[in-house]
Amino acid sequence: MSVEAQPLDPQVIETLKGITTATLTTVLLKKGLRNVWLRGAKPLKPGQPRLVGRAFTLRFVPAREDLATPESWASPKSTRGAIEAMPAGCIAVVDAMGVKDAGIFGDILCARMQKRGVTALITDGVVRDVAGVLGTGLPVWCDGYAAPPSVAGLTFVDWQEPIACGGVAVFPNDIIVVDDDGAVLIPQALLEAVLPLAVEQERQEAWIMGEIDAGVPLPGLYPPNEATKARYEASKKK
């Protein structure tokens, strides 16, 4: 298991809360990263806030009958053990291989995560006890819900190791941003480079929206040509 990273700077969190996942995917695309949006991770409840945190990873593999048993829940290497290792402020990112007929977590486990200060749960799989999960107040992004428990279709293997969630390579302590468009990963090594670019893109697109409202046609505005860039730079000085 990897060494625990330092908590994210509160100012970084507040800045990223003001940047959409759509903007982040564009900025990361310009950095050469095309595969950063976690497929299948949809908000369990509409209107959840945009959230930011370091990834705390959990990994499932296909169910194997001698391992995927209710007795395995009492093992030290279990989802229960993983939850007790989660630091406050992290975002749990769970590789469930897109399995949709076995719920990885239910209301009791989500309630414990909420009590420990976990920011959110993200998975390409599903949850169970959906009414209870919603009642815990833990923000969840997943691919739906199902009644059967995890061991009906999955074997839990470990936490805080590289995973594949929604077709994206997620390493422990990468940065996750989630909103109504889903979950986006920022590699931790690229955070300092991405942050100012994302802030500037949000500012520029807000200005472009103002131009749209004023009736300016799209050609030359979006994407901006040199004349538009000059007008935008001038606007920043006012």
Side-chain angles (χ1 to χ4, degrees):
M1 298 174 198
S2 64
V3 176
E4 185 175 318
Q6 292 296 314
L8 277 177
D9 186 305
Q11 185 56 54
V12 170
I13 293 175
E14 287 308 306
T15 299
L16 285 172
K17 282 183 177 180
I19 299 171
T20 67
T21 55
T23 290
L24 290 171
T25 58
T26 303
V27 171
L28 288 163
L29 178 63
K30 292 175 181 177
K31 287 287 184 183
L33 279 77
R34 297 177 178 273
N35 189 32
V36 293
W37 181 75
L38 281 63
R39 299 159 189 83
K42 297 170 284 196
L44 184 61
K45 183 175 73 172
Q48 295 180 141
R50 184 174 299 117
L51 297 170
V52 181
R54 289 194 184 275
F56 185 99
T57 62
L58 298 88
R59 184 165 72 93
F60 285 89
V61 296
R64 207 178 78 183
E65 287 74 8
D66 61 325
L67 299 174
T69 65
E71 289 75 22
S72 69
W73 294 331
S75 167
K77 190 168 283 189
S78 65
T79 52
R80 282 72 172 160
I83 288 170
E84 295 306 317
M86 292 177 183
C90 76
I91 291 182
V93 185
V94 184
D95 172 9
M97 306 182 305
V99 170
K100 296 184 182 181
D101 56 1
I104 57 160
F105 291 161
D107 53 355
I108 292 175
L109 272 62
C110 287
R112 179 58 181 159
M113 291 170 66
Q114 197 277 337
K115 183 65 69 173
R116 286 188 57 79
V118 173
T119 295
L121 166 63
I122 312 296
T123 183
D124 56 2
V126 301
V127 295
R128 62 195 301 244
D129 304 313
V130 63
V133 168
L134 290 169
T136 68
L138 178 73
V140 175
W141 278 255
C142 63
D143 206 10
Y145 33 87
S150 60
V151 293
L154 295 162
T155 303
F156 180 72
V157 287
D158 215 340
W159 64 87
Q160 282 299 70
E161 62 180 30
I163 61 170
C165 185
V168 176
V170 183
F171 285 74
N173 305 315
D174 282 335
I175 289 77
I176 302 291
V177 182
V178 282
D179 59 19
D180 281 341
D181 281 354
V184 168
L185 175 145
I186 305 172
Q188 59 175 328
L190 292 182
L191 178 61
E192 288 188 11
V194 165
L195 206 57
L197 296 175
V199 169
E200 173 60 18
Q201 182 168 317
E202 287 281 2
R203 175 191 287 176
Q204 185 183 77
E205 291 192 357
W207 179 83
I208 288 172
M209 283 297 292
E211 296 293 284
I212 294 291
D213 287 343
V216 177
L218 284 173
L221 176 66
Y222 186 70
N225 58 20
E226 291 305 315
T228 298
K229 289 177 182 177
R231 287 197 299 112
Y232 168 64
E233 290 301 323
S235 76
K236 289 163 62 175
K237 297 174 182 177
K238 293 181 180 178

